[in-house]
Amino acid sequence: MTISAAQVKQLREMTGAGMMDCKAALGETDGDMEAAVDWLRKKGISKADKKAGRTAAEGLIGVGGDATSGVLVEVNSETDFVARNDAFQQIVRNVAQVALETSGATEEVSAARYPGGTSSVVDTIKDAVGTIGENMSFRRASKLSVTSGAVATYVHNAVAENLGKLGVLVAIETTGDAEAARSFARQVAMHVAATNPLSLSEQEIDPAVVAREKDIFSDQARQSGKPENIIEKMVEGRLRKFYEEVVLLKQAFVLNPDLTVEAALKDAEKTIGAPAKITGFVRFALGEGIERETSDFAAEVAAAAKQ
């Protein structure tokens, strides 16, 4: 039978399920609305989509890697309690494995087949919502690779192997000793976890950010009443200081503040046995950028008392 748009709309409003899920449910039940609701409930879809309105800002960062590649993934849950659930942790590990076997692009990982199943990563996570009992979502992934050298992974405050609340990748290209390169890259990854640099080099900083800083520095310098040629030098000096604070290669190395990261890399080349270059880094902190819901506990209790 033909399923009308009005029927699909009605079922969506009743259950909160997605359009395609509602259409499938109505098709499976010959347009019987009550049976379609039951069909969605049995599949866990109605339950999952009602939970999907809740903010998922907890969860885990997962890391994975092989000889020349590393990945980071973020899978969110509503509570830290679920993040410590073995089933949830296995999902994060599996998603990291998918990212390692693909380009690591978020969209590709989302659409890729979940290990051991027939559904995509995003659909498998959606199906698991009904089982685990709260909203979950795959948020993002990133991958770094080198032709020769190493990609180091680091998890800060790990809650389980390769799982935590903050993860970092650092890639080093070199023809020297790959394990020595990996060891140094891991030290740099620990540094990145601590300092959260904006970019690898000065050239990679967003020009808009530099322009904004210059504008601020110029206004501050003009308040001194000094002539323009002096102000220009003051701005240059403050901009150099800004780069030292936010550019990875220019930062003082956390493990040896007497050296910049760039100088520490040069020193590490003695152990690596060949020239080496940091080609990239990625830092994922759990939930960064997600607007978390705030609740008024007293109001919730008052509302419950009126029911």
Side-chain angles (χ1 to χ4, degrees):
M1 65 174 293
T2 302
I3 304 299
S4 71
Q7 287 175 294
V8 173
K9 181 175 182 293
Q10 182 183 350
L11 186 58
R12 288 190 69 187
E13 290 173 350
M14 291 171 65
T15 64
M19 181 177 68
M20 296 308 294
D21 290 327
C22 289
K23 189 173 182 180
L26 289 163
E28 289 291 329
T29 59
D30 295 325
D32 185 316
M33 197 63 65
E34 288 187 8
V37 171
D38 290 343
W39 187 90
L40 287 169
R41 290 184 65 191
K42 288 174 184 176
K43 296 287 185 181
I45 295 171
S46 178
K47 179 181 179 182
D49 281 353
K50 285 182 179 179
K51 291 176 182 295
R54 304 206 296 252
T55 301
E58 292 293 339
L60 288 170
I61 304 296
V63 308
D66 55 27
T68 57
S69 297
V71 295
L72 292 177
V73 300
E74 179 176 357
V75 182
N76 297 123
S77 61
E78 290 179 57
T79 65
D80 182 61
F81 178 78
V82 163
R84 296 177 183 277
N85 177 292
D86 289 342
F88 180 81
Q89 292 181 2
Q90 190 57 50
I91 287 172
V92 182
R93 290 192 182 95
N94 286 342
V95 174
Q97 185 59 39
V98 172
L100 193 61
E101 294 171 355
T102 64
S103 69
T106 300
E107 296 77 10
E108 185 177 347
V109 176
S110 294
R113 187 174 64 83
Y114 186 81
T118 57
S119 300
S120 68
V121 164
V122 70
D123 285 342
T124 300
I125 291 175
K126 184 176 180 179
D127 289 343
V129 170
T131 303
I132 291 179
E134 66 178 51
N135 188 26
M136 300 184 298
S137 63
F138 166 55
R139 186 183 182 203
R140 54 180 173 164
S142 188
K143 183 177 184 178
L144 290 180
S145 298
V146 294
T147 304
S148 60
V151 178
T153 62
Y154 172 67
V155 178
H156 186 65
N157 287 342
V159 300
E161 186 177 3
N162 293 329
L163 302 172
K165 300 303 178 77
L166 192 156
V168 180
L169 303 177
V170 172
I172 291 186
E173 284 274 6
T174 183
T175 57
D177 186 326
E179 283 310 308
R182 190 183 310 280
S183 178
F184 179 72
R186 180 173 168 78
Q187 292 181 346
V188 176
M190 294 169 69
H191 169 99
V192 169
T195 64
N196 192 18
L198 286 181
S199 71
L200 175 61
S201 65
E202 295 176 21
Q203 294 73 28
E204 293 180 14
I205 295 184
D206 184 345
V209 172
V210 176
R212 185 170 64 249
E213 294 300 318
K214 275 186 175 180
D215 186 54
I216 293 170
F217 295 155
S218 295
D219 283 349
Q220 290 173 342
R222 285 194 179 90
Q223 292 175 21
S224 68
K226 291 183 171 57
E228 283 298 318
N229 62 325
I230 300 299
I231 289 173
E232 187 176 335
K233 290 180 180 178
M234 290 173 67
V235 171
E236 288 176 0
R238 292 185 183 184
L239 200 56
R240 279 196 301 272
K241 181 67 175 175
F242 171 70
Y243 288 142
E244 289 171 5
E245 292 173 351
V246 303
V247 172
L248 175 59
L249 293 174
K250 299 296 182 184
Q251 288 179 328
F253 191 34
V254 167
L255 275 66
N256 184 358
D258 292 333
L259 299 176
T260 62
V261 172
E262 192 170 31
L265 173 62
K266 199 70 180 172
D267 193 52
E269 289 178 347
K270 300 171 187 174
T271 305
I272 294 170
K277 179 181 180 182
I278 298 174
T279 57
F281 73 90
V282 182
R283 181 184 187 272
F284 278 7
L286 181 68
E288 58 190 351
I290 296 177
E291 290 189 13
R292 298 173 185 246
E293 293 177 348
T294 57
S295 61
D296 184 336
F297 183 68
E300 289 178 5
V301 172
K306 293 176 182 178
Q307 292 179 357

